Amino acid sequence: MPAIIGPGHTESTQKTLSEDHLISSALSILQPNSDRSKSEMSDSSSLVLAALQGDSTARSEDSVSQDDGVPSDISHFPHLQDRPPVSPSQDQEQALQEGDDEESAIAHCFDRSVSPATAMLRNRGAAYEKVGEDGVTKMHKFSLYETSSRFFLVGADVLDHRFRILKIDRTVESGDLNISEDDIVYTKKEMNQLLNAVDDGNKSSGGLKLRSSTWGLLGFIRFTGEYYMLLITKRSQVAVIGGHYVYQVDGTELISLTSPSTRFKTERHPEEARFVGILSNLDLSRSFYFSCSYDITHTLQYNIRRERGALREGLRLGSKPQFKHNEMFVWNHHLLRPAGLALKNTYDWCLPIMHGFVDQATLTVFGRTVYITIIARRSRYFAGARFLKRGANDLGYAANDVETEQIVSEMLTTSFHAPGPRLYTNPNWTSYVQHRGSIPLYWTQDSTGVTPKPDIQLNLIDPFYGAAALHFDNLFERYGAPVYVLNLVKARERTPRESILLKEFTKAITYLNQFLPNDKQIIYKAWDMSRASKSRDQDVIGTLESIAEDVLRTTSFFHNGDGIAHSISMQNGVARTNCIDCLDRTNAAQFVIGKLALGHQLHALGVISGKSIEYDTDAVNLFTHMFHAHGDTIAIQYGGSHLVNTMETYRKINQWTSQPRDMVESFRRYYNNSFLDGQRQEAYNLFLGNYVFVQGQPMLWDLSTDYYLHHADPRAWLTQERRSYIQWFTPDHLNRQEMPEAPHPAISERTLGFHDNYWWEYYRPLAVSSFIKIFSFRMNSTLKYIPFKLTQEGRHDLSPFKVRLGNEHEATDKPRSRKGVTIVDPQTKSHSNALAKEPNRSASSTDNVLPKWMQPHLNGSSHTQHSILKDSSGDAPKISKTSIQNHLNDGKSPKDKSALAQLTLNHFVVNSLNPSVSTNEMDEYSRYISHPLNLPLVVSSEAPRSLNLEFPAYINSASLEAIQSSHSAEEDINDYQEYLRVGDDPLTVTEADTPKKRYKAYRQWLKGKSLFKQQRIDP
């Protein structure tokens, strides 16, 4: 277990106090309750003042040791409160039913009140604000109103203080889009008056009506005639990064911009409804994400590098620069094109959405809170289903191209900024990026047959490997050099399939490397992971860990800082992993690399002293669950089913029950690939704009192939300049990525909210909420792995880096069993009785070195009884109390013990036919056979060194109380002596012998009863 560094003690011994804790303490002081005394307020205020002055001398006595990361007394661990978690109250349950998030999933509409029209005239001289003043740009939620001729989209900021309006004309001809953007920023009162005026002006045609409440506009799309706008109607919080929330789209609505009035109604194309139905096959409520204030289409390293560069160069401009999103991961890019042509500030109204996976969890380390965030971004280029999109297109974009980023941050402060404020220099943020994608060659698989694994065909043999050259040049541009390629396809097969791609990909890397500088060449590692996992003499995880160490040494990871007090580490290069599908084997390899990167990130944050984390710890188990969810989501998006082979498969710890599950997932993947992938591909092509309806051209469903939708137009090849076959890369892309210097606080004349307005979004100081609705409070954490019962007596190590045994991951809250017959295991009962008699016993107070078989006798208890219901070895068939209870509850009365006796008898027979040896018995037998058979003659008082000193140690350690307790009572001796006396005729029982205990069964037999206890068994 790696050593844990104490709170606030990083490698640079930085003393930083939690921002959230200071704020909560300060608010409690500024707004005290009426019941609080003045002394409590003074004590609290002095505590906050001492914290603000950096006074960190007061430490708790039971804090974590800075040397080894464990408590000083190794036999005791921190105690949790001796009280089980209480169930939520009725108010809390009602709150959870209304919505799990702090803000409801469905947006509330604008609170409009009807007022006289004359109020607008009296407030005609009201002071308006322009867009761009004091950062007034982004809108948080929207309300859509409609009249017979226009749509009015009213946007509000986070605080509902400032409002803007967008007008959409519904009377234009089919195929046109007329949008008017109002630059004026209104107050709530002014916006209410404006809507009332619009309502009064349209009374004759029905007035102003509320159509929908939405969280954002995804854009506009047109099929054959009129335009539609796509709105986000429902969302949920999934992560928080630097105080900026990341949301998942849970509901959308497609609204036609055509007026229902017959005067503006045009003839509808007969295939319009079919296009709408194809678009509905794409479920936008699964794995689509957005953020109102954080660019999730770029990595954390890119965002901070861009912001710091802008602060160094663009502060004199007097306005915040507008950045472009990464179009590769903006899946609604086609819908944003009409909005970009009609609006001056597109992203003030429209939200770019990303497709992939986002998850966040908390790693709790003795009070220190560390957030682990996994973001997977799927490329929109050459996107599609498994067998329909293989290899790469002629533009260099690979199929199933996914960028996975893991962000590890310690939440001493919320934002990206260090105290000062030193903008974007917070040293508590780290990230690491990986990449997966199909082999960038021209190859396909024909899935029209019934074969679950179709043959692989190389459609085009390019001696210059143009597609691979474009692909790796794009990787150099995004991540820098070098690129570490981990190829996991099969090398030896009876019928060559994957091995064909292995040979061709190896030739491509060899060709491309001969033109690159030596220190920038592509590092290529090919390893048959499938064959190694089936072999008994190969360690799959060990090999992957050695590869991961080489990867981390090559690429490093990103660690933010100011470059003075805290050094900056940049990630240059990326690990590109692929197998044939980039699903099962790829996800396992990326997990091992990410696990090692997690250890390096925690070490850089000062959480652990080492750079690696062991398996079966709470931290790795949490990371494993997150990465499995990440792999399942990517597999569903590309292959149509969950992962078939997980980390348990490659660690060879999966249970036999996983085999039926793997078979079901394999069949589900085959079914989706054979029958459903075509519909999904059509939805992708329509939503991404790969297919655009043109009069006279074939319909989408009439195309025999979508090859020309994803490749460049061959007619444009003659007009384009041919790339060089030798210098296939861009030299500027090979340069190392450097972080710009941090700007001095005095340079900026703007407030912090102008550069990064995270405060109002995350803290929401004017909103009333509860802990059960705050996302940070509800986040998944390593605390769920802590068994509550073991923590009551301090018998559980709370460190998330402690390797757990199998029995340490039992559920903390087990449901109480119903009333009925329960069989108590003698071993469990004796153990619980011993604990009840000695509640204060500790391991440190027991210095007894006696053998295990002597300790129960000296302690006054009997030997350990082996139960017929449970075998300690765990190998023999077991019968649980739950199964007995369920058997009794099948219509039988709990008082009927016949069924229980039959169940016990059956289990006794099974255990008799399948004998097993417990672990304790094996240990005792090993000690017995290792004991010396011939004892040497003792001729001196000195014991020889080669002699087993267990018996002398037993003699020396035996205390007076133990010796006294070993003597038998006088009545026990009399009974034993009487038992040894045997008469002249022992087979004859006299009347004097009948009162004795040994003849109790004989007396019962004389009365006519059987010698053995019989029970009636129901047929």
Side-chain angles (χ1 to χ4, degrees):
M1 183 181 73
I4 303 174
I5 303 176
H9 290 72
T10 60
E11 297 181 18
S12 59
T13 326
Q14 179 190 11
K15 297 180 180 179
T16 309
L17 194 62
S18 174
E19 175 185 298
D20 302 342
H21 178 68
L22 287 177
I23 293 171
S24 60
S25 302
L27 290 177
S28 62
I29 295 170
L30 295 176
Q31 299 176 356
N33 297 328
S34 58
D35 298 336
R36 293 184 59 188
S37 61
K38 296 182 179 180
S39 60
E40 293 178 346
M41 293 174 58
S42 61
D43 294 340
S44 302
S45 59
S46 61
L47 175 61
V48 175
L49 291 176
L52 293 174
Q53 294 173 1
D55 183 12
S56 59
T57 58
R59 299 282 181 179
S60 176
E61 295 180 357
D62 56 351
S63 62
V64 182
S65 175
Q66 299 178 14
D67 297 331
D68 54 0
V70 296
S72 57
D73 186 2
I74 60 175
S75 62
H76 285 283
F77 301 103
H79 293 234
L80 296 185
Q81 60 180 1
D82 192 7
R83 184 178 57 188
V86 296
S87 58
S89 60
Q90 296 181 356
D91 297 337
Q92 293 176 344
E93 292 180 353
Q94 182 179 1
L96 289 174
Q97 293 176 359
E98 294 175 357
D100 293 340
D101 294 341
E102 184 179 6
E103 203 167 12
S104 61
I106 302 176
H108 296 291
C109 63
F110 176 76
D111 189 11
R112 175 172 167 243
S113 60
V114 180
S115 59
T118 56
M120 188 67 184
L121 300 177
R122 291 197 301 266
N123 290 292
R124 187 178 296 274
Y128 297 120
E129 300 181 34
K130 295 292 183 180
V131 174
E133 295 181 357
D134 296 331
V136 181
T137 53
K138 290 287 186 179
M139 296 291 102
H140 182 67
K141 59 182 178 180
F142 304 87
S143 299
L144 181 65
Y145 293 90
E146 64 175 347
T147 62
S148 60
S149 59
R150 284 184 178 85
F151 279 115
F152 295 91
L153 189 63
V154 179
D157 62 356
V158 179
L159 301 178
D160 285 342
H161 286 175
R162 298 171 179 176
F163 300 86
R164 296 175 60 187
I165 191 169
L166 189 71
K167 305 173 186 177
I168 305 174
D169 193 356
R170 306 176 66 184
T171 62
V172 295
E173 297 181 359
S174 176
D176 295 336
L177 184 64
N178 186 7
I179 304 177
S180 301
E181 181 181 3
D182 194 348
D183 292 337
I184 299 178
V185 179
Y186 298 92
T187 63
K188 188 173 185 179
K189 181 178 180 181
E190 295 163 353
M191 179 57 67
N192 187 53
Q193 295 172 354
L194 178 62
L195 295 179
N196 290 335
V198 174
D199 189 13
D200 293 339
N202 291 270
K203 287 292 186 181
S204 59
S205 57
L208 183 69
K209 300 179 182 178
L210 177 66
R211 175 63 183 272
S212 176
S213 298
T214 174
W215 292 112
L217 178 64
L218 292 182
F220 304 89
I221 189 172
R222 174 175 176 263
F223 303 121
T224 61
E226 68 273 9
Y227 270 97
Y228 298 84
M229 61 178 172
L230 191 60
L231 303 176
I232 301 176
T233 58
K234 193 175 181 181
R235 71 179 187 184
S236 59
Q237 299 170 350
V238 292
V240 55
I241 304 175
H244 306 283
Y245 280 112
V246 179
Y247 302 95
Q248 177 178 345
V249 179
D250 292 335
T252 58
E253 183 180 1
L254 188 67
I255 298 178
S256 175
L257 300 185
T258 303
S259 175
S261 176
T262 56
R263 184 173 49 146
F264 306 108
K265 191 173 183 180
T266 58
E267 183 178 356
R268 189 182 180 97
H269 196 279
E271 301 295 348
E272 181 76 13
R274 186 166 183 178
F275 278 108
V276 176
I278 292 176
L279 185 64
S280 63
N281 291 332
L282 180 62
D283 190 1
L284 294 176
S285 62
R286 295 183 61 181
S287 306
F288 283 90
Y289 307 90
F290 70 93
S291 177
C292 300
S293 53
Y294 179 75
D295 186 6
I296 60 175
T297 62
H298 283 108
T299 62
L300 177 66
Q301 174 177 307
Y302 182 91
N303 288 334
I304 293 182
R305 183 167 174 251
R306 178 184 62 184
E307 294 286 351
R308 290 176 63 164
L311 290 175
R312 298 294 301 181
E313 301 176 1
L315 282 176
R316 298 179 181 176
L317 300 178
S319 62
K320 187 176 180 179
Q322 296 292 332
F323 298 119
K324 293 184 178 180
H325 297 81
N326 191 348
E327 295 182 355
M328 188 177 195
F329 303 118
V330 179
W331 273 63
N332 58 333
H333 181 266
H334 175 62
L335 281 73
L336 295 177
R337 286 179 181 174
L341 298 175
L343 298 175
K344 293 180 293 184
N345 304 305
T346 305
Y347 293 107
D348 290 355
W349 300 94
C350 301
L351 293 172
I353 58 174
M354 179 203 73
H355 188 36
F357 174 79
V358 177
D359 191 16
Q360 191 174 54
T362 303
L363 178 64
T364 304
V365 188
F366 294 106
R368 302 178 68 176
T369 301
V370 179
Y371 281 2
I372 301 177
T373 310
I374 295 180
I375 303 177
R377 307 176 179 92
R378 176 177 292 278
S379 173
R380 69 179 179 91
Y381 299 126
F382 204 50
R386 180 189 179 196
F387 286 136
L388 302 180
K389 289 294 168 286
R390 291 296 210 187
N393 59 5
D394 53 6
L395 300 178
Y397 297 114
N400 197 20
D401 189 306
V402 180
E403 173 187 278
T404 301
E405 179 184 17
Q406 62 184 53
I407 301 175
V408 181
S409 58
E410 185 177 4
M411 302 309 295
L412 293 176
T413 54
T414 303
S415 66
F416 299 123
H417 316 294
R422 291 172 293 171
L423 301 180
Y424 298 100
T425 59
N426 191 342
N428 297 321
W429 289 88
T430 65
S431 71
Y432 183 73
V433 181
Q434 301 184 67
H435 179 269
R436 73 170 70 183
S438 185
I439 298 177
L441 300 173
Y442 297 113
W443 63 280
T444 57
Q445 283 183 284
D446 186 9
S447 61
T448 56
V450 295
T451 305
K453 293 183 179 180
D455 294 336
I456 295 177
Q457 300 176 357
L458 283 171
N459 306 101
L460 177 63
I461 304 298
D462 184 5
F464 305 105
Y465 301 101
L470 290 172
H471 176 73
F472 283 106
D473 189 31
N474 178 260
L475 293 183
F476 289 150
E477 180 183 5
R478 291 157 59 185
Y479 310 111
V483 174
Y484 195 108
V485 177
L486 179 57
N487 190 7
L488 303 175
V489 299
K490 298 178 181 179
R492 298 175 57 184
E493 299 173 295
R494 294 182 179 179
T495 303
R497 293 180 60 258
E498 298 184 15
S499 57
I500 300 176
L501 296 177
L502 173 64
K503 297 178 181 179
E504 194 68 19
F505 195 27
T506 304
K507 293 179 182 179
I509 298 297
T510 305
Y511 171 81
L512 297 177
N513 270 338
Q514 62 182 337
F515 306 113
L516 285 171
N518 293 332
D519 59 336
K520 306 296 183 181
Q521 288 187 350
I522 302 172
I523 303 174
Y524 181 68
K525 174 70 175 179
W527 178 52
D528 192 345
M529 182 176 174
S530 178
R531 186 179 185 86
S533 63
K534 297 176 183 178
S535 177
R536 297 183 179 180
D537 58 347
Q538 295 193 37
D539 185 9
V540 177
I541 302 301
T543 305
L544 288 177
E545 287 181 345
S546 62
I547 296 175
E549 293 177 357
D550 192 15
V551 169
L552 264 295
R553 283 194 301 267
T554 303
T555 62
S556 187
F557 63 96
F558 170 66
H559 183 201
N560 195 24
D562 55 5
I564 303 175
H566 302 88
S567 60
I568 303 176
S569 174
M570 300 287 291
Q571 178 178 350
N572 284 277
V574 70
R576 186 195 189 277
T577 310
N578 72 268
C579 54
I580 196 65
D581 293 323
C582 301
L583 297 179
D584 300 347
R585 288 169 281 178
T586 299
N587 197 75
Q590 284 195 341
F591 166 78
V592 176
I593 298 175
K595 170 182 167 294
L596 184 61
L598 176 63
H600 282 71
Q601 290 173 283
L602 293 175
H603 174 75
L605 295 176
V607 178
I608 59 176
S609 60
K611 295 184 179 180
S612 63
I613 312 175
E614 298 295 333
Y615 285 95
D616 298 323
T617 59
D618 293 346
V620 174
N621 289 337
L622 179 69
F623 188 70
T624 302
H625 293 163
M626 296 177 67
F627 231 88
H628 279 182
H630 158 262
D632 284 338
T633 304
I634 298 301
I636 290 175
Q637 295 169 3
Y638 184 64
S641 68
H642 294 85
L643 291 174
V644 176
N645 298 316
T646 61
M647 274 302 299
E648 294 181 351
T649 305
Y650 295 109
R651 290 184 62 192
K652 299 180 180 179
I653 60 175
N654 55 329
Q655 302 177 358
W656 65 271
T657 54
S658 64
Q659 296 180 359
R661 179 255 182 198
D662 295 344
M663 295 176 59
V664 171
E665 293 301 332
S666 299
F667 179 77
R668 181 181 300 174
R669 184 175 297 183
Y670 167 73
Y671 175 79
N672 290 329
N673 298 154
S674 301
F675 303 103
L676 302 180
D677 282 354
Q679 301 178 6
R680 192 150 54 100
Q681 188 65 52
E682 289 182 352
Y684 281 146
N685 292 334
L686 188 62
F687 181 76
L688 295 175
N690 298 326
Y691 173 85
V692 177
F693 171 79
V694 178
Q695 191 70 33
Q697 296 294 330
M699 291 294 180
L700 175 61
W701 48 87
D702 292 333
L703 296 176
S704 59
T705 177
D706 62 348
Y707 175 85
Y708 297 103
L709 301 181
H710 294 270
H711 291 73
D713 189 355
R715 293 171 294 185
W717 290 355
L718 298 177
T719 60
Q720 294 179 355
E721 183 180 357
R722 187 180 300 273
R723 292 175 60 92
S724 173
Y725 295 139
I726 297 177
Q727 193 174 356
W728 56 268
F729 57 91
T730 305
D732 293 340
H733 297 168
L734 301 180
N735 298 333
R736 289 185 58 84
Q737 300 183 10
E738 302 292 342
M739 181 65 69
E741 296 182 2
H744 194 272
I747 296 179
S748 176
E749 297 179 357
R750 297 282 187 174
T751 60
L752 178 61
F754 173 79
H755 300 283
D756 186 11
N757 191 13
Y758 71 94
W759 180 272
W760 301 106
E761 181 180 2
Y762 180 71
Y763 290 103
R764 300 179 57 83
L766 302 181
V768 179
S769 182
S770 59
F771 278 117
I772 60 175
K773 287 191 174 184
I774 297 177
F775 174 76
S776 301
F777 184 80
R778 298 184 293 105
M779 194 185 304
N780 189 18
S781 173
T782 53
L783 294 178
K784 76 171 188 177
Y785 297 103
I786 298 178
F788 176 77
K789 294 182 179 179
L790 296 181
T791 57
Q792 296 182 0
E793 299 180 359
R795 295 186 291 112
H796 184 81
D797 191 348
L798 300 179
S799 171
F801 308 108
K802 171 70 168 58
V803 178
R804 309 293 186 192
L805 302 177
N807 56 357
E808 295 188 42
H809 289 293
E810 297 179 356
T812 57
D813 299 328
K814 295 183 179 179
R816 298 181 61 183
S817 60
R818 298 180 180 177
K819 281 182 134 183
V821 178
T822 57
I823 297 181
V824 180
D825 187 358
Q827 183 177 355
T828 306
K829 184 177 180 180
S830 61
H831 179 66
S832 60
N833 292 338
L835 292 178
K837 293 179 180 179
E838 299 176 338
N840 299 324
R841 185 184 64 177
S842 62
S844 60
S845 62
T846 311
D847 299 331
N848 202 349
V849 293
L850 298 181
K852 296 180 179 179
W853 57 275
M854 288 294 295
Q855 289 179 8
H857 176 69
L858 294 180
N859 292 334
S861 60
S862 60
H863 293 286
T864 302
Q865 301 181 17
H866 297 283
S867 171
I868 63 174
L869 298 180
K870 181 177 66 176
D871 189 4
S872 59
S873 63
D875 298 332
K878 299 180 180 181
I879 183 170
S880 61
K881 300 177 183 178
T882 306
S883 61
I884 297 175
Q885 185 68 32
N886 295 337
H887 186 80
L888 290 177
N889 291 336
D890 295 339
K892 295 181 175 62
S893 173
K895 298 181 180 180
D896 187 5
K897 299 182 180 180
S898 59
L900 179 63
Q902 178 66 32
L903 196 61
T904 307
L905 179 61
N906 293 339
H907 183 69
F908 180 78
V909 172
V910 171
N911 282 354
S912 301
L913 297 178
N914 299 275
S916 60
V917 181
S918 64
T919 305
N920 295 334
E921 293 173 346
M922 294 177 62
D923 295 341
E924 291 295 333
Y925 182 72
S926 300
R927 291 178 58 254
Y928 166 73
I929 62 177
S930 62
H931 197 277
L933 299 179
N934 299 324
L935 296 177
L937 181 63
V938 179
V939 296
S940 64
S941 60
E942 297 181 359
R945 297 182 178 179
S946 61
L947 183 63
N948 190 353
L949 301 180
E950 182 179 357
F951 184 72
Y954 157 64
I955 296 297
N956 297 331
S957 63
S959 60
L960 182 59
E961 296 178 357
I963 295 175
Q964 293 177 355
S965 62
S966 63
H967 292 287
S968 302
E970 184 176 356
E971 56 182 9
D972 296 334
I973 296 176
N974 296 333
D975 293 340
Y976 183 68
Q977 291 177 353
E978 183 183 358
Y979 179 78
L980 294 179
R981 286 194 295 265
V982 180
D984 297 335
D985 189 7
L987 298 180
T988 302
V989 181
T990 62
E991 294 182 0
D993 296 333
T994 53
K996 297 179 180 180
K997 295 181 179 180
R998 70 179 72 179
Y999 299 110
K1000 180 179 179 181
Y1002 178 71
R1003 293 194 305 267
Q1004 298 291 338
W1005 180 76
L1006 291 177
K1007 295 179 181 180
K1009 295 185 179 180
S1010 175
L1011 292 175
F1012 304 97
K1013 186 175 182 181
Q1014 300 289 338
Q1015 289 188 0
R1016 181 177 59 85
I1017 304 299
D1018 295 337

